Each structure stands twice: as C-alpha cells, then as structure tokens.
Amino acid sequence: MYRQTADWVLREFVKYLFRPKGFEVRVAGLCVPVLVALLGGNWLVKATARDEYSFEIGSTNFIPEWIQWPLVALFVTIFVMCFVVGWRRFTRENELRNRKKVIVIEGRGLREDDGSPLAAAVPSDIVGHRIAVSLDLRQRRDGMIVEAAELLPEVDIARRTVQQYAKQNDRQDVTFVYGGLTPVPMTFLTGVAFDDEGSIVVMDWDRTREAWRSLDSRDDGQRFLLEGVEGVGNASEVVLAVSASYQVRSENISTTFDLPVVRLSLPDLNSSHWSQAKQNALAEQLFEAAKLLEAKGVKTIHLLLAAQNSVAFNLGRRYDKRNLPGVVVYQYEANSEKKFPWGVRMPVRGENIPSILRT
C-alpha cells in the first residue's frame, strides 16, 4: 500500500513538473535573461596596454544609466506581477482540485492479485480528489466463481457507496470513473446498476500493455451484423448471442439451450474496441435488437456475451430497465458440460432485485 502511494506521489510530481505552463511562466522566463543582461551583461574582460601579458577586469557600460535602471524596474515589475498571477493560478487550481471529486469504481473478480490500482491510472486531465470504491467479487479461487449468489449484494453495496459519496458534493463537482476485471454477468449487472449515475468515464485493462487504458482511440466503423430474427416466430424466449471479441459458437449454445438463436456479430472480431464512440454505437445496436425482439412478443432474452469488460459494462448501461424484455446474462465455462451453467437475471422489466438462474 505504501509503495503504491509513493508511486502515485512520484507520478503526480513528475506530471506537475512537466504540466502545460501558463502565459505568466513564459513571460517570467523571458524576463530573467533580460535582467541578467541589464544588470551584469556588460562586464567584460579588458586587456590593458601596460604590457602584453597583463589583464584586468573592467566594466564597459553599453546602455546609459538613465535608460538602464528604468528598464530594470520595468522588467522586475513584470516579473513580480507574473509571480503573483502564477501564485493565484496555483491556488485556484488547488481549490478546484480539492472541491472536485473523482469517484473511481474498480471491479475485481477474475484474479486474486491486487495488481495496479485504477485510481492511480485515471488521466490527470480529470481534475479532482480520487475516491476509490472497490467492487470486490473475488471468492479466493483464482479465475473461478464458487457461489455466484453471494456476489449479487456486493454490486448493490458498491452502488450505494457511490451514491453516498456523490450526495456529499455538488453533482457538477463529481466525476465517475469505472474499470474492472469481473465476470461478464456481473459486469453487465454493474452497468445496469450504475445506469442512473449520469456520465461515467469508462476505462479497461489493456492486456498487451498490462496497464489501465482510456477508451480514447478512433472509431474504426465496425458494427454488429444482426442475424436470425426471422427465425424467432412466436417464441417468448430467445437466445441472443453477441460476439464482440470471440465467436459465440453454435455447438456451445446447443449444450445449454434449445431456443431460437439471434446473433449480433462483428465482421472482424480482432477490430479495436478502444473507442467510446464505437462502444456507444454497439450499445445502441443491442438496444435496437432487444426492442425488435420485444415487438415480436419475446418476453425473455438469454444473453450470451463474448466481449471485453468495458463493452459488457456499456451494454448493460444502455439496456432499458422498463421497456425491453427481461434479460438473463450467462457465464461461459469452457470446462463445464453445459457451457453456460448459470446466469444473472437482471433487475429489469418488473424484476426488483437480481437473481441467479441455473440451467
């Protein structure tokens, strides 16, 4: 813990040293060499003619004193004014940083190690005091969930904790940041739970860089392709397989479900998901697909989702709690006979609390 704190202090100090400078710093920097030139720049080494080996230090004043000292007074005044303006800017920034709060929600659930804290990775341009809220969904079995039902209250506890912090401050002074490494059903549930918290900055773990990363890349234009709607017929329950990072394979679906299958699939599963604009568009496509299924009379959607954490979270945030069909989001277990052994029934469409549905 102390090492993480020391690392954070060092990073913040380096950011402060190399932060963008205000105009007053640049002006003050220009004043310094001018003052040096005016006050000491005309001292020269002057050879005397007494003999060819003798030298003495003398002063040759290139600027008349009646001009020199008013110029010195002018540039000293400018320098002092720049210092005062810079000090006021510094105090204002500190006041702003102390008033603003950044509530950082970090979900942990797939690995036992604590790793790099999300709060320390929040970009410096998000101004405010960091308040870390942990959503710990680990059950002391690395990469495994022993009893899923025990995890459901933790999501609600984290939501209530965030709301308490938010109520202590003016809403406009609070920024929310989310990032996590949690099972897909819990991530989607977290998105549903935090849907009412307004704008949230979403980050994700970059496995290649081994670091937290913002969704700051450009939108590559890749969108879901919708298939299988014509096969729904009069079914009241359907499987909606969403393939964003991996393909949800038909043979895996058949181990658990005997229902019509509708698919949302990206043409290129290797396409980048590091764009907030792209993720917003994908979430809108899920919303439209669910709305289309609701119009066909579907009451329950069994959602099989293969996507990175940030995508699952944003899809959950976009799912309409009142007007779309009920939804159960499933956990994929490669070593299980049934590849989707359990799911979380989301608190939507009349369901007040989430619950576990086993297949």
Side-chain angles (χ1 to χ4, degrees):
M1 176 179 178
Y2 294 108
R3 182 178 178 181
Q4 293 174 357
T5 303
D7 290 344
W8 179 84
V9 170
L10 179 60
R11 282 195 299 270
E12 291 302 309
F13 178 69
V14 171
K15 290 177 184 176
Y16 174 77
L17 288 180
F18 294 98
R19 73 194 189 282
K21 305 297 192 298
F23 77 93
E24 69 280 357
V25 178
R26 296 185 178 90
V27 174
L30 292 174
C31 289
V32 172
V34 174
L35 287 171
V36 170
L38 288 172
L39 295 174
N42 18 348
W43 285 89
L44 300 172
V45 176
K46 183 174 62 175
T48 67
R50 287 176 299 178
D51 57 72
E52 57 181 322
Y53 303 107
S54 177
F55 293 88
E56 67 177 4
I57 303 296
S59 174
T60 302
N61 199 346
F62 293 105
I63 303 176
E65 289 192 4
W66 65 273
I67 296 177
Q68 179 183 11
W69 294 112
L71 286 176
V72 169
L74 173 63
F75 281 97
V76 168
T77 302
I78 294 174
F79 183 86
V80 171
M81 290 177 62
C82 289
F83 177 82
V84 172
V85 171
W87 178 256
R88 288 182 176 177
R89 180 195 292 271
F90 175 75
T91 55
R92 281 200 306 269
E93 288 178 353
N94 270 357
E95 289 173 359
L96 182 64
R97 185 176 295 275
N98 291 333
R99 188 178 77 245
K100 289 186 174 294
K101 300 295 185 292
V102 181
I103 301 178
V104 185
I105 308 120
E106 180 179 353
R108 294 191 175 275
L110 296 182
R111 291 293 178 264
E112 280 303 314
D113 62 286
D114 289 331
S116 175
L118 176 61
V122 175
S124 58
D125 57 357
I126 301 179
V127 178
H129 174 65
R130 274 56 170 158
I131 301 174
V133 176
S134 176
L135 175 57
D136 194 343
L137 302 179
R138 295 171 292 185
Q139 292 186 321
R140 308 304 172 226
R141 292 283 297 276
D142 196 38
M144 296 183 62
I145 296 176
V146 180
E147 184 50 62
E150 295 179 359
L151 302 178
L152 299 180
E154 297 297 328
V155 177
D156 189 59
I157 290 172
R159 180 184 64 84
R160 292 177 183 275
T161 302
V162 168
Q163 288 179 338
Q164 288 298 320
Y165 281 129
K167 287 178 181 178
Q168 296 171 10
N169 300 275
D170 192 322
R171 191 72 172 187
Q172 66 180 2
D173 292 331
V174 177
T175 301
F176 300 99
V177 177
Y178 168 81
L181 290 169
T182 52
V184 167
M186 300 302 171
T187 305
F188 195 95
L189 174 61
T190 305
V192 172
F194 285 95
D195 176 47
D196 297 328
E197 298 304 323
S199 178
I200 297 180
V201 177
V202 180
M203 300 179 68
D204 210 336
W205 181 259
D206 189 329
R207 297 179 186 275
T208 302
R209 300 181 182 181
E210 295 188 344
W212 291 104
R213 180 178 169 186
S214 300
L215 306 182
D216 53 6
S217 294
R218 67 176 183 85
D219 183 357
D220 62 8
Q222 287 273 323
R223 298 294 184 265
F224 286 133
L225 300 178
L226 179 62
E227 301 174 294
V229 175
E230 64 282 353
V232 171
N234 297 322
S236 62
E237 299 186 27
V238 300
V239 170
L240 178 56
V242 180
S243 302
S245 55
Y246 294 93
Q247 183 69 34
V248 181
R249 296 162 56 185
S250 298
E251 57 267 34
N252 290 336
I253 298 174
S254 63
T255 64
T256 310
F257 302 99
D258 184 18
L259 295 168
V261 177
V262 178
R263 288 184 175 275
L264 282 172
S265 305
L266 285 178
D268 180 8
L269 295 178
N270 292 319
S271 66
S272 172
H273 298 306
W274 296 102
S275 165
Q276 185 65 62
K278 177 180 178 178
Q279 291 201 21
N280 290 344
L282 298 181
E284 182 65 22
Q285 284 190 285
L286 175 68
F287 171 79
E288 293 296 333
K291 188 166 69 172
L292 180 60
L293 293 175
E294 195 278 334
K296 287 182 169 293
V298 172
K299 303 299 182 185
T300 302
I301 294 175
H302 300 273
L303 183 60
L304 313 181
L305 177 58
Q308 69 186 64
N309 189 275
S310 56
V311 175
F313 178 79
N314 280 322
L315 294 183
R317 293 199 71 212
R318 187 66 183 89
Y319 200 89
D320 193 312
K321 297 178 182 178
R322 292 175 295 276
N323 301 316
L324 294 181
V327 60
V328 183
V329 182
Y330 288 84
Q331 173 72 5
Y332 173 71
E333 297 288 354
N335 297 324
S336 175
E337 182 179 351
K338 289 184 176 182
K339 301 302 181 184
F340 302 96
W342 61 270
V344 176
R345 188 182 295 277
M346 299 294 154
V348 302
R349 195 64 180 260
E351 295 286 339
N352 295 322
I353 58 174
S355 58
I356 298 298
L357 178 66
R358 300 193 179 277
T359 58

